[in-house]
């Protein structure tokens, strides 16, 4: 049951999943979830802001887990509803929140429109362990607002409560974040060039002698440079707009992290249903993030956990796989790092994912891919729902177009033929032309 605006309810001091959701549809703006950790109503530093470009709080207590799209199945206010829904999720572990933090505000910001165009906006808090709903607030009556403070966790007499807030902002995420003390990176405006005075038309009278300049003031030690401001810009790749230039977004150097995170559909237990058995089969799910590469010197290869081919960041192939994870979490999960200082050495890189064990296809899995350059805007996209018996999915193709890398969203599920490995299947689909031998990890 939805809470009335302004009401509050106790919540357990444990790990909680905060879901900001909306109904999907043509022309509906995206809605992004974020959190600000406050002391005395303000952040202590920009690190207290958790959102898509800064997904983990330094304490580890708050984490942005990303978006998922699919069909919503559940009961609210006694009615069963189903249909397209998009959710953006935060994980808040109240047991790990630093003692100084008094409030965690939970925010939704609209991307590409106003909340008057967003149907079914809500915030829901669930216990991570049990999956039970402990709080829910459905936000209604929005018009021109582009950001909403939907709810907040706050301490009261040593315990935590959740309050349904529903306060709208017309200045977007930038204005809301600035109000709480965040320094936001704004586009730099170039000052207009000063016009030279016109040349005199007649004889020029020499100027009168000028008084000598005053003695120079003693040098002043400049204040320390402030920390880099928070960047709110991002790019979401879609079927309609599937590609982006890294150079145009400022991603021309440093390291770029490619992260894959996923989750299964909501779990049901105790009924012995087909869905329950399917989810149980995913308990030991192992997805492997991989990359085929081709360098400008003609060398080709693969970076993957299979065969311990983890690559290298500061020598060819300038790609490094961070490890092997089974959780799907955004900060652990599966991560591949690309050295953008060697852009000229890349001809093309294909990032893909395989199911190593735990499932026969990507059906019932919701996955999000995020490419985060060290300098430049984050790039993300969600995978479409899988309707084929696929065990390998091409995620993104990164191509050198001449001192620039273009990221192309693929989100392409492939079905291997009998006896053909997922890696060889990807190779054939994209014409890499490599020789493959069996491997293990």
């Amino acid at each position: 049951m939805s809470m009335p605006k302004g009401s509050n309810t106790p919540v357990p001091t444990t790990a909680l999943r905060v879901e900001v959701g909306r109904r999907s549809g043509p022309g509906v703006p995206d809605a992004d979830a974020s959190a600000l950790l406050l002391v005395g109503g303000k952040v202590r530093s920009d690190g207290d802001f958790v959102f898509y470009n800064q997904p983990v709080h330094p304490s580890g207590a708050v984490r942005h887990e990303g978006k998922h799209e699919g069909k919503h199945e559940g009961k609210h206010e006694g009615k069963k509803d189903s249909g397209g829904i998009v959710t953006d999720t935060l994980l808040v572990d109240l047991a790990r929140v630093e003692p100084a933090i008094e409030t965690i505000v939970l925010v939704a910001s609209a991307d590409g429109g106003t909340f008057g165009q967003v149907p079914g906006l809500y915030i829901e808090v669930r216990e991570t362990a049990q999956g039970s709903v402990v709080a829910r607030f459905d936000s209604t009556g929005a018009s021109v607002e582009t950001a909403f403070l939907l709810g907040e966790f706050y301490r009261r007499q040593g315990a935590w409560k959740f309050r349904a807030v529903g306060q709208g902002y017309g200045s977007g995420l930038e204005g809301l974040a600035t109000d709480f003390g965040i320094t936001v990176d704004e586009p730099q405006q170039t000052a207009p060039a000063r016009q030279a005075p016109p040349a005199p038309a007649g004889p020029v009278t020499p100027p009168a002698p000028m008084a000598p300049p005053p003695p120079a003031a003693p040098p002043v030690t400049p204040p320390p440079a402030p920390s880099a401001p928070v960047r709110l810009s991002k790019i979401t790749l879609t079927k309609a707009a599937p590609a982006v230039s890294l150079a145009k977004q400022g991603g021309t150097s440093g390291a770029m992290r490619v992260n894959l995170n996923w989750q299964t559909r909501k779990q049901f237990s105790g009924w012995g249903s087909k869905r329950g058995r399917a989810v149980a089969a995913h308990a030991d799910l192992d997805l492997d993030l991989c990359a085929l590469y081709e360098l400008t010197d003609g060398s080709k290869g693969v970076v993957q956990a299979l065969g311990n081919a983890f690559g290298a960041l500061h020598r060819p192939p300038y790609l490094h796989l961070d490890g092997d994870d089974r959780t799907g979490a955004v900060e652990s999960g599966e991560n591949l790092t690309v050295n953008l200082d060697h852009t000229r050495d890349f001809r093309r890189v294909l990032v893909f994912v395989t199911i190593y064990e735990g499932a026969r296809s990507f059906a019932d899995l919701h996955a999000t891919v995020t490419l985060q350059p060290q300098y430049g805007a984050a790039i993300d996209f969600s995978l479409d729902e899988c309707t084929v018996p696929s065990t390998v999915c091409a995620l993104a193709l990164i191509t050198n177009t001449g001192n620039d890398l273009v990221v192309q969203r693929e989100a392409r599920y492939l079905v291997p033929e009998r006896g053909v490995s997922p890696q060889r299947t990807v190779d054939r689909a994209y014409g890499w032309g490599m020789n493959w031998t069996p491997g293990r990890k």
Side-chain angles (χ1 to χ4, degrees), residues 68-80:
H68 300 285
E69 183 171 0
K71 289 188 176 181
H72 184 246
E73 298 176 358
K75 290 185 178 180
H76 301 294
E77 300 182 0
K79 297 180 181 180
K80 183 177 181 180

mmCIF file with all atom_site columns, all heavy atoms in Angstrom, residues 68-80:
data_model
loop_
_atom_site.group_PDB
_atom_site.id
_atom_site.type_symbol
_atom_site.label_atom_id
_atom_site.label_alt_id
_atom_site.label_comp_id
_atom_site.label_asym_id
_atom_site.label_entity_id
_atom_site.label_seq_id
_atom_site.pdbx_PDB_ins_code
_atom_site.Cartn_x
_atom_site.Cartn_y
_atom_site.Cartn_z
_atom_site.occupancy
_atom_site.B_iso_or_equiv
_atom_site.pdbx_formal_charge
_atom_site.auth_seq_id
_atom_site.auth_comp_id
_atom_site.auth_asym_id
_atom_site.auth_atom_id
_atom_site.pdbx_PDB_model_num
ATOM 1   N N   . HIS A 1 68 ? 16.920 -1.572  -15.174 1.00 0.00 ? 68 HIS A N   1
ATOM 2   C CA  . HIS A 1 68 ? 16.406 -2.818  -15.735 1.00 0.00 ? 68 HIS A CA  1
ATOM 3   C C   . HIS A 1 68 ? 15.038 -2.534  -16.320 1.00 0.00 ? 68 HIS A C   1
ATOM 4   O O   . HIS A 1 68 ? 14.272 -1.736  -15.793 1.00 0.00 ? 68 HIS A O   1
ATOM 5   C CB  . HIS A 1 68 ? 16.342 -3.924  -14.688 1.00 0.00 ? 68 HIS A CB  1
ATOM 6   C CG  . HIS A 1 68 ? 17.667 -4.239  -14.090 1.00 0.00 ? 68 HIS A CG  1
ATOM 7   N ND1 . HIS A 1 68 ? 18.627 -4.943  -14.764 1.00 0.00 ? 68 HIS A ND1 1
ATOM 8   C CD2 . HIS A 1 68 ? 18.214 -3.902  -12.901 1.00 0.00 ? 68 HIS A CD2 1
ATOM 9   C CE1 . HIS A 1 68 ? 19.698 -5.047  -13.999 1.00 0.00 ? 68 HIS A CE1 1
ATOM 10  N NE2 . HIS A 1 68 ? 19.473 -4.424  -12.874 1.00 0.00 ? 68 HIS A NE2 1
ATOM 11  N N   . GLU A 1 69 ? 14.763 -3.185  -17.425 1.00 0.00 ? 69 GLU A N   1
ATOM 12  C CA  . GLU A 1 69 ? 13.488 -2.991  -18.100 1.00 0.00 ? 69 GLU A CA  1
ATOM 13  C C   . GLU A 1 69 ? 12.838 -4.341  -18.328 1.00 0.00 ? 69 GLU A C   1
ATOM 14  O O   . GLU A 1 69 ? 13.492 -5.309  -18.697 1.00 0.00 ? 69 GLU A O   1
ATOM 15  C CB  . GLU A 1 69 ? 13.700 -2.281  -19.441 1.00 0.00 ? 69 GLU A CB  1
ATOM 16  C CG  . GLU A 1 69 ? 12.412 -1.965  -20.188 1.00 0.00 ? 69 GLU A CG  1
ATOM 17  C CD  . GLU A 1 69 ? 12.643 -1.084  -21.400 1.00 0.00 ? 69 GLU A CD  1
ATOM 18  O OE1 . GLU A 1 69 ? 13.801 -0.726  -21.655 1.00 0.00 ? 69 GLU A OE1 1
ATOM 19  O OE2 . GLU A 1 69 ? 11.647 -0.756  -22.075 1.00 0.00 ? 69 GLU A OE2 1
ATOM 20  N N   . GLY A 1 70 ? 11.556 -4.412  -18.106 1.00 0.00 ? 70 GLY A N   1
ATOM 21  C CA  . GLY A 1 70 ? 10.849 -5.661  -18.320 1.00 0.00 ? 70 GLY A CA  1
ATOM 22  C C   . GLY A 1 70 ? 9.408  -5.540  -17.907 1.00 0.00 ? 70 GLY A C   1
ATOM 23  O O   . GLY A 1 70 ? 8.864  -4.433  -17.792 1.00 0.00 ? 70 GLY A O   1
ATOM 24  N N   . LYS A 1 71 ? 8.803  -6.670  -17.679 1.00 0.00 ? 71 LYS A N   1
ATOM 25  C CA  . LYS A 1 71 ? 7.407  -6.678  -17.252 1.00 0.00 ? 71 LYS A CA  1
ATOM 26  C C   . LYS A 1 71 ? 7.341  -6.658  -15.742 1.00 0.00 ? 71 LYS A C   1
ATOM 27  O O   . LYS A 1 71 ? 8.080  -7.350  -15.058 1.00 0.00 ? 71 LYS A O   1
ATOM 28  C CB  . LYS A 1 71 ? 6.689  -7.909  -17.807 1.00 0.00 ? 71 LYS A CB  1
ATOM 29  C CG  . LYS A 1 71 ? 6.460  -7.840  -19.309 1.00 0.00 ? 71 LYS A CG  1
ATOM 30  C CD  . LYS A 1 71 ? 5.578  -8.968  -19.772 1.00 0.00 ? 71 LYS A CD  1
ATOM 31  C CE  . LYS A 1 71 ? 5.275  -8.823  -21.266 1.00 0.00 ? 71 LYS A CE  1
ATOM 32  N NZ  . LYS A 1 71 ? 4.382  -9.897  -21.742 1.00 0.00 ? 71 LYS A NZ  1
ATOM 33  N N   . HIS A 1 72 ? 6.424  -5.859  -15.246 1.00 0.00 ? 72 HIS A N   1
ATOM 34  C CA  . HIS A 1 72 ? 6.244  -5.743  -13.803 1.00 0.00 ? 72 HIS A CA  1
ATOM 35  C C   . HIS A 1 72 ? 5.158  -6.707  -13.355 1.00 0.00 ? 72 HIS A C   1
ATOM 36  O O   . HIS A 1 72 ? 4.093  -6.761  -13.952 1.00 0.00 ? 72 HIS A O   1
ATOM 37  C CB  . HIS A 1 72 ? 5.849  -4.310  -13.439 1.00 0.00 ? 72 HIS A CB  1
ATOM 38  C CG  . HIS A 1 72 ? 5.743  -4.087  -11.966 1.00 0.00 ? 72 HIS A CG  1
ATOM 39  N ND1 . HIS A 1 72 ? 4.568  -3.801  -11.342 1.00 0.00 ? 72 HIS A ND1 1
ATOM 40  C CD2 . HIS A 1 72 ? 6.682  -4.117  -10.991 1.00 0.00 ? 72 HIS A CD2 1
ATOM 41  C CE1 . HIS A 1 72 ? 4.773  -3.646  -10.058 1.00 0.00 ? 72 HIS A CE1 1
ATOM 42  N NE2 . HIS A 1 72 ? 6.040  -3.834  -9.809  1.00 0.00 ? 72 HIS A NE2 1
ATOM 43  N N   . GLU A 1 73 ? 5.459  -7.474  -12.343 1.00 0.00 ? 73 GLU A N   1
ATOM 44  C CA  . GLU A 1 73 ? 4.491  -8.430  -11.831 1.00 0.00 ? 73 GLU A CA  1
ATOM 45  C C   . GLU A 1 73 ? 4.415  -8.267  -10.327 1.00 0.00 ? 73 GLU A C   1
ATOM 46  O O   . GLU A 1 73 ? 5.409  -8.390  -9.630  1.00 0.00 ? 73 GLU A O   1
ATOM 47  C CB  . GLU A 1 73 ? 4.902  -9.864  -12.179 1.00 0.00 ? 73 GLU A CB  1
ATOM 48  C CG  . GLU A 1 73 ? 4.970  -10.113 -13.684 1.00 0.00 ? 73 GLU A CG  1
ATOM 49  C CD  . GLU A 1 73 ? 5.463  -11.510 -13.986 1.00 0.00 ? 73 GLU A CD  1
ATOM 50  O OE1 . GLU A 1 73 ? 5.773  -12.230 -13.033 1.00 0.00 ? 73 GLU A OE1 1
ATOM 51  O OE2 . GLU A 1 73 ? 5.529  -11.863 -15.164 1.00 0.00 ? 73 GLU A OE2 1
ATOM 52  N N   . GLY A 1 74 ? 3.244  -7.966  -9.836  1.00 0.00 ? 74 GLY A N   1
ATOM 53  C CA  . GLY A 1 74 ? 3.107  -7.799  -8.393  1.00 0.00 ? 74 GLY A CA  1
ATOM 54  C C   . GLY A 1 74 ? 1.706  -7.359  -8.043  1.00 0.00 ? 74 GLY A C   1
ATOM 55  O O   . GLY A 1 74 ? 0.833  -7.252  -8.894  1.00 0.00 ? 74 GLY A O   1
ATOM 56  N N   . LYS A 1 75 ? 1.489  -7.077  -6.767  1.00 0.00 ? 75 LYS A N   1
ATOM 57  C CA  . LYS A 1 75 ? 0.198  -6.614  -6.308  1.00 0.00 ? 75 LYS A CA  1
ATOM 58  C C   . LYS A 1 75 ? 0.400  -5.363  -5.482  1.00 0.00 ? 75 LYS A C   1
ATOM 59  O O   . LYS A 1 75 ? 1.245  -5.327  -4.592  1.00 0.00 ? 75 LYS A O   1
ATOM 60  C CB  . LYS A 1 75 ? -0.497 -7.691  -5.473  1.00 0.00 ? 75 LYS A CB  1
ATOM 61  C CG  . LYS A 1 75 ? -0.964 -8.893  -6.277  1.00 0.00 ? 75 LYS A CG  1
ATOM 62  C CD  . LYS A 1 75 ? -1.755 -9.854  -5.419  1.00 0.00 ? 75 LYS A CD  1
ATOM 63  C CE  . LYS A 1 75 ? -2.259 -11.040 -6.236  1.00 0.00 ? 75 LYS A CE  1
ATOM 64  N NZ  . LYS A 1 75 ? -3.037 -11.975 -5.407  1.00 0.00 ? 75 LYS A NZ  1
ATOM 65  N N   . HIS A 1 76 ? -0.365 -4.348  -5.828  1.00 0.00 ? 76 HIS A N   1
ATOM 66  C CA  . HIS A 1 76 ? -0.312 -3.107  -5.083  1.00 0.00 ? 76 HIS A CA  1
ATOM 67  C C   . HIS A 1 76 ? -1.741 -2.640  -4.852  1.00 0.00 ? 76 HIS A C   1
ATOM 68  O O   . HIS A 1 76 ? -2.548 -2.568  -5.770  1.00 0.00 ? 76 HIS A O   1
ATOM 69  C CB  . HIS A 1 76 ? 0.485  -2.043  -5.838  1.00 0.00 ? 76 HIS A CB  1
ATOM 70  C CG  . HIS A 1 76 ? 1.890  -2.469  -6.119  1.00 0.00 ? 76 HIS A CG  1
ATOM 71  N ND1 . HIS A 1 76 ? 2.805  -2.672  -5.125  1.00 0.00 ? 76 HIS A ND1 1
ATOM 72  C CD2 . HIS A 1 76 ? 2.514  -2.766  -7.281  1.00 0.00 ? 76 HIS A CD2 1
ATOM 73  C CE1 . HIS A 1 76 ? 3.948  -3.058  -5.654  1.00 0.00 ? 76 HIS A CE1 1
ATOM 74  N NE2 . HIS A 1 76 ? 3.786  -3.130  -6.957  1.00 0.00 ? 76 HIS A NE2 1
ATOM 75  N N   . GLU A 1 77 ? -2.044 -2.325  -3.608  1.00 0.00 ? 77 GLU A N   1
ATOM 76  C CA  . GLU A 1 77 ? -3.378 -1.879  -3.211  1.00 0.00 ? 77 GLU A CA  1
ATOM 77  C C   . GLU A 1 77 ? -4.445 -2.888  -3.635  1.00 0.00 ? 77 GLU A C   1
ATOM 78  O O   . GLU A 1 77 ? -5.527 -2.546  -4.099  1.00 0.00 ? 77 GLU A O   1
ATOM 79  C CB  . GLU A 1 77 ? -3.677 -0.496  -3.800  1.00 0.00 ? 77 GLU A CB  1
ATOM 80  C CG  . GLU A 1 77 ? -2.669 0.548   -3.319  1.00 0.00 ? 77 GLU A CG  1
ATOM 81  C CD  . GLU A 1 77 ? -2.988 1.926   -3.846  1.00 0.00 ? 77 GLU A CD  1
ATOM 82  O OE1 . GLU A 1 77 ? -3.979 2.078   -4.584  1.00 0.00 ? 77 GLU A OE1 1
ATOM 83  O OE2 . GLU A 1 77 ? -2.256 2.864   -3.510  1.00 0.00 ? 77 GLU A OE2 1
ATOM 84  N N   . GLY A 1 78 ? -4.091 -4.185  -3.526  1.00 0.00 ? 78 GLY A N   1
ATOM 85  C CA  . GLY A 1 78 ? -5.062 -5.228  -3.785  1.00 0.00 ? 78 GLY A CA  1
ATOM 86  C C   . GLY A 1 78 ? -5.295 -5.540  -5.238  1.00 0.00 ? 78 GLY A C   1
ATOM 87  O O   . GLY A 1 78 ? -6.130 -6.367  -5.570  1.00 0.00 ? 78 GLY A O   1
ATOM 88  N N   . LYS A 1 79 ? -4.562 -4.887  -6.156  1.00 0.00 ? 79 LYS A N   1
ATOM 89  C CA  . LYS A 1 79 ? -4.790 -5.112  -7.575  1.00 0.00 ? 79 LYS A CA  1
ATOM 90  C C   . LYS A 1 79 ? -3.520 -5.660  -8.209  1.00 0.00 ? 79 LYS A C   1
ATOM 91  O O   . LYS A 1 79 ? -2.428 -5.172  -7.962  1.00 0.00 ? 79 LYS A O   1
ATOM 92  C CB  . LYS A 1 79 ? -5.193 -3.812  -8.267  1.00 0.00 ? 79 LYS A CB  1
ATOM 93  C CG  . LYS A 1 79 ? -6.508 -3.240  -7.754  1.00 0.00 ? 79 LYS A CG  1
ATOM 94  C CD  . LYS A 1 79 ? -6.838 -1.943  -8.492  1.00 0.00 ? 79 LYS A CD  1
ATOM 95  C CE  . LYS A 1 79 ? -8.147 -1.351  -7.980  1.00 0.00 ? 79 LYS A CE  1
ATOM 96  N NZ  . LYS A 1 79 ? -8.480 -0.088  -8.683  1.00 0.00 ? 79 LYS A NZ  1
ATOM 97  N N   . LYS A 1 80 ? -3.708 -6.626  -9.053  1.00 0.00 ? 80 LYS A N   1
ATOM 98  C CA  . LYS A 1 80 ? -2.573 -7.177  -9.773  1.00 0.00 ? 80 LYS A CA  1
ATOM 99  C C   . LYS A 1 80 ? -2.306 -6.311  -10.995 1.00 0.00 ? 80 LYS A C   1
ATOM 100 O O   . LYS A 1 80 ? -3.219 -5.940  -11.721 1.00 0.00 ? 80 LYS A O   1
ATOM 101 C CB  . LYS A 1 80 ? -2.844 -8.614  -10.210 1.00 0.00 ? 80 LYS A CB  1
ATOM 102 C CG  . LYS A 1 80 ? -1.651 -9.255  -10.908 1.00 0.00 ? 80 LYS A CG  1
ATOM 103 C CD  . LYS A 1 80 ? -1.931 -10.705 -11.250 1.00 0.00 ? 80 LYS A CD  1
ATOM 104 C CE  . LYS A 1 80 ? -0.733 -11.339 -11.932 1.00 0.00 ? 80 LYS A CE  1
ATOM 105 N NZ  . LYS A 1 80 ? -0.990 -12.748 -12.274 1.00 0.00 ? 80 LYS A NZ  1
#
